[in-house]
Amino acid sequence: MSALWLGLGVVLGGLLWAGWSGLSSKRARAVDRRLLATLMHDLRTPLTSLQLTMGELAHHEGYDDDERVTLARAIEEVVALRSLLENLRLVEATASAPTPVERTEVLLHEQVERLVYRYDLMAKARKARLEIGAEPLAVQADPRLVELLLGNLVELALRSGATVVRVSLTLPEERFRLSCEVTDGVLPEPLTVQTFMARRDADRSQTGRSLAVVAVGVICGASGWSFTRPSPTEFVVEGRLD
Amino acid sequence: MLPGGVMEAPQPRILVVEDDTAVAAGLVQGLKRAGFALELATTGPQALSVLKTVTIDLVLLDLSLPEQDGLDVLEHLRARVSVPVIVLTARTALSERLKSFELGANDFVAKPFWFEELLARIRAHLRISATREHHLVKWADCEVDLDARRVKAGGADVELTPTEFSVLAALVAHPGTAISRDRLAKLASNTGEILGRTIDSHVARIRKKLGNGASALQTVKAVGYRFDTGG
C-alpha cells in the first residue's frame, strides 16, 4: 500500500509540476488534466472496495496491538490516497485555469454532520474524538468541492495529532462560520498554490498535508469564501449567506 | 417470534445493483452484519426482474452498469416502485448528480465512501419511507399504487412508461377535479419536459392499456381531463 501511495504521489506530482512550471504546452496540460480525471474515476471503484474491506476488518475483535496498529496505518493510507488524488486533480486544474465551480444547493449542515461517519475509522485509529455541531444552512456551491473541503479540514486536524477535533457551523450576522478546532496539536498555515510549489522541493515529507491546505484555499477562493487560521489550533471558513 | 408471542419486525430488504464483484461483496457483507435482507443484481435487467418478484424496501444503484446504463435503469425502476433509491457512483460530475435526482433518486453517494456513512443514509431513508402513508387507488378492475408506482388492470400488471404513470398519478390524485392539459403536464413533470399538447397522446395510450377502467379518465371539453369513477 505504501509503495502504491508513494508511486502515485511521485507520478502525479510530476504531472502537476510539469503543468505548473510552464514546460508543457496548453495541450499537454489538458492531457494531464484528463489523465488525472480518468485515473481518479478508475480508482474510485477499487478505493470503495478497499474502504468497505477496511470498515469490515475494523469491526472484528481480538486483534493484538501490532495488528491494530497495522490496520490503523492501512486505514490512514486509504484516506490519504483518496485525498491526495482529489487534491492533486483540483490543484493541477487550478494551476492552469480558474477553478470551475458548478453550483447547486448544498445543505452544508448535512455535509458537516456526515463527517462523523466519514472520519469515524480514522479518528478511532488515532484514538481521537470528533465533535460536530451544525446549524441548518443551505448554500449555493459545488457539492464535490464542499465534501473535499470539509474532508481536508478534518484530515488535517486529525493528522495534527489532536485528541479532540471540533467542527462547528454557526450563523453569526448574515454570514456563516465554519470552524475546525483542535484541542492539541498544531494546524498548518494556509498556503497558496504558488507558495506550495516553491516549497515543495525543499520538503517533500509535507507534500500531502500542504496539498490539502492549498486545496482548501483554492475551494474557498472559487466559492467566494475566506479561509484563515486565526490561531495554530483553529481553521475558519467564512462566507456570506446567499 | 419473540418471547411473549410478539412478532419480530421483518428485516428491511435491500436490492443492491452493482456489477463490481469486490464492491458488491463488501456491501453485502456490511449490510448483512447490519441486519438487512438482501437481493443482488449485477445488471439493470436483472434488477428490474427482481423488482417484479420481490418486495424491496430500498435500492442501492450503481450508475455504471453493463447492458443498460444506471440512469436508464433508474428511470425504469421509478416507473415501478417508489421505494428510496440511493445512487452509488464513480461518476461524480454535478450533471450526473442532478440527472439522478431528476429521474427520482433520493440520494447520491459518490465513490469512494465509507460503509458507516452509507449505513446512516440507508437508515435515514428507511425511516422517512416508513412514516409515509401508502396510497392505493382502486376503481372498476383497476388499481394504482402511487407509492410502488404500479398499475394493475383485470388483475394483471400494466406496463406504463414513466411519463404515462406520472400523468395517471396526477389525475387519480385529484378525483373529480377537471385539470387543464398544461396543469396536468406540470403536475406530472418535475422538470417541465412534458408539454401540454402531448397530454392527449399520453392519455390515449393510458386508456388503451387500462381497458375497462379507461372510462374513468374523462375528457372535459375545452379544459382537459378529469378522473371520475362515478362513485
Side-chain angles (χ1 to χ4, degrees):
Chain A
M1 176 68 73
S2 283
L4 171 69
W5 193 93
L6 191 65
L8 274 166
V10 169
V11 170
L12 298 174
L15 279 175
L16 175 60
W17 176 242
W20 173 251
S21 62
L23 294 175
S24 306
S25 66
K26 273 187 182 175
R27 196 171 160 196
R29 283 189 206 148
V31 170
D32 289 350
R33 275 201 303 278
R34 276 203 301 276
L35 177 64
L36 272 174
T38 307
L39 195 61
M40 189 60 223
H41 176 270
D42 291 351
L43 279 172
R44 284 181 186 280
T45 299
L47 271 175
T48 305
S49 165
L50 258 180
Q51 290 188 194
L52 290 171
T53 306
M54 294 295 162
E56 202 54 42
L57 288 173
H59 273 90
H60 287 238
E61 287 174 4
Y63 290 124
D64 64 30
D65 287 348
D66 285 348
E67 288 165 336
R68 201 156 282 288
V69 168
T70 305
L71 179 63
R73 196 183 303 138
I75 289 168
E76 288 234 354
E77 293 203 351
V78 171
V79 172
L81 178 58
R82 175 195 178 162
S83 317
L84 178 73
L85 287 164
E86 299 272 16
N87 289 331
L88 263 176
R89 191 162 73 125
L90 177 76
V91 176
E92 198 281 338
T94 307
S96 50
T99 313
V101 180
E102 299 174 294
R103 291 172 198 271
T104 186
E105 185 181 88
V106 176
L107 299 177
L108 197 52
H109 59 285
E110 277 192 3
Q111 294 270 4
V112 170
E113 283 157 3
R114 284 175 188 159
L115 288 169
V116 172
Y117 305 109
R118 276 185 199 144
Y119 289 93
D120 178 57
L121 282 184
M122 184 174 170
K124 277 183 185 154
R126 284 186 164 260
K127 295 187 169 44
R129 197 172 72 239
L130 261 177
E131 294 179 357
I132 306 279
E135 290 188 49
L137 174 66
V139 292
Q140 284 293 319
D142 183 330
R144 291 173 303 170
L145 293 183
V146 170
E147 190 177 316
L148 185 58
L149 179 149
L150 292 171
N152 276 326
L153 290 178
V154 172
E155 269 183 65
L156 285 164
L158 285 169
R159 286 186 202 286
S160 75
T163 46
V164 179
V165 175
R166 288 195 192 103
V167 182
S168 62
L169 174 64
T170 52
L171 307 174
E173 289 180 22
E174 294 180 358
R175 65 199 164 92
F176 71 85
R177 185 177 194 276
L178 177 72
S179 158
C180 179
E181 202 176 2
V182 293
T183 50
D184 39 7
V186 175
L187 299 172
E189 282 180 66
L191 275 180
T192 62
V193 178
Q194 290 83 347
T195 315
F196 165 70
M197 290 300 179
R199 287 187 189 170
R200 177 173 178 275
D201 284 335
D203 186 3
R204 282 186 178 273
S205 66
Q206 293 299 307
T207 297
R209 219 162 93 104
S210 301
L211 198 58
V213 189
V214 174
V216 172
V218 166
I219 296 167
C220 286
S223 308
W225 305 334
S226 68
F227 170 49
T228 55
R229 191 191 69 154
S231 81
T233 57
E234 189 183 23
F235 285 135
V236 173
V237 172
E238 286 182 294
R240 289 171 59 178
L241 296 182
D242 296 317
Chain B
M1 186 83 76
L2 294 171
V6 179
M7 290 293 285
E8 198 173 355
Q11 296 170 302
R13 186 169 291 274
I14 295 180
L15 169 60
V16 177
V17 191
E18 169 67 65
D19 67 313
D20 185 275
T21 48
V23 173
L27 286 171
V28 166
Q29 203 171 2
L31 290 168
K32 274 189 177 164
R33 181 172 44 76
F36 294 104
L38 291 168
E39 298 292 331
L40 177 64
T42 55
T43 65
Q46 251 185 43
L48 297 172
S49 147
V50 169
L51 287 170
K52 278 184 184 167
T53 52
V54 184
T55 303
I56 295 294
D57 297 293
L58 184 140
V59 179
L60 296 178
L61 176 67
D62 179 28
L63 287 190
S64 300
L65 293 168
E67 295 182 33
Q68 191 178 13
D69 186 72
L71 288 173
D72 194 28
V73 177
L74 175 59
E75 193 171 9
H76 281 84
L77 190 151
R78 264 289 164 253
R80 290 173 193 280
V81 291
S82 67
V83 297
V85 177
I86 301 179
V87 165
L88 308 175
T89 183
R91 284 153 46 178
T92 59
L94 186 61
S95 55
E96 298 279 352
R97 187 184 292 252
L98 296 179
K99 187 75 187 165
S100 299
F101 285 123
E102 207 172 276
L103 291 174
N106 298 77
D107 209 342
F108 185 98
V109 178
K111 290 179 179 175
F113 53 83
W114 291 99
F115 183 75
E116 294 304 319
E117 182 189 351
L118 178 65
L119 187 59
R121 296 210 203 178
I122 289 172
R123 286 183 173 145
H125 285 292
L126 286 174
R127 264 196 309 274
I128 295 167
S129 176
T131 55
R132 269 197 359 223
E133 275 182 61
H134 195 71
H135 294 110
L136 194 66
V137 180
K138 290 181 178 182
W139 79 100
D141 63 353
C142 294
E143 189 178 301
V144 179
D145 187 332
L146 293 169
D147 293 324
R149 292 180 73 90
R150 192 170 276 172
V151 179
K152 283 186 175 184
D157 278 333
V158 175
E159 294 281 341
L160 295 185
T161 66
T163 304
E164 287 165 6
F165 183 87
S166 298
V167 171
L168 178 61
L171 280 167
V172 302
H174 301 85
T177 308
I179 305 177
S180 72
R181 288 173 178 80
D182 284 344
R183 170 107 179 103
L184 197 50
K186 207 173 257 182
L187 285 171
S189 162
N190 289 326
T191 55
E193 82 275 17
I194 306 174
L195 299 173
R197 63 177 181 275
T198 66
I199 286 293
D200 291 342
S201 57
H202 290 306
V203 172
R205 280 196 296 273
I206 298 167
R207 281 175 171 158
K208 204 169 174 183
K209 292 178 182 180
L210 287 183
N212 292 338
S215 59
L217 305 188
Q218 299 174 354
T219 304
V220 182
K221 207 173 171 185
V223 178
Y225 294 95
R226 177 175 56 218
F227 174 69
D228 197 336
T229 57

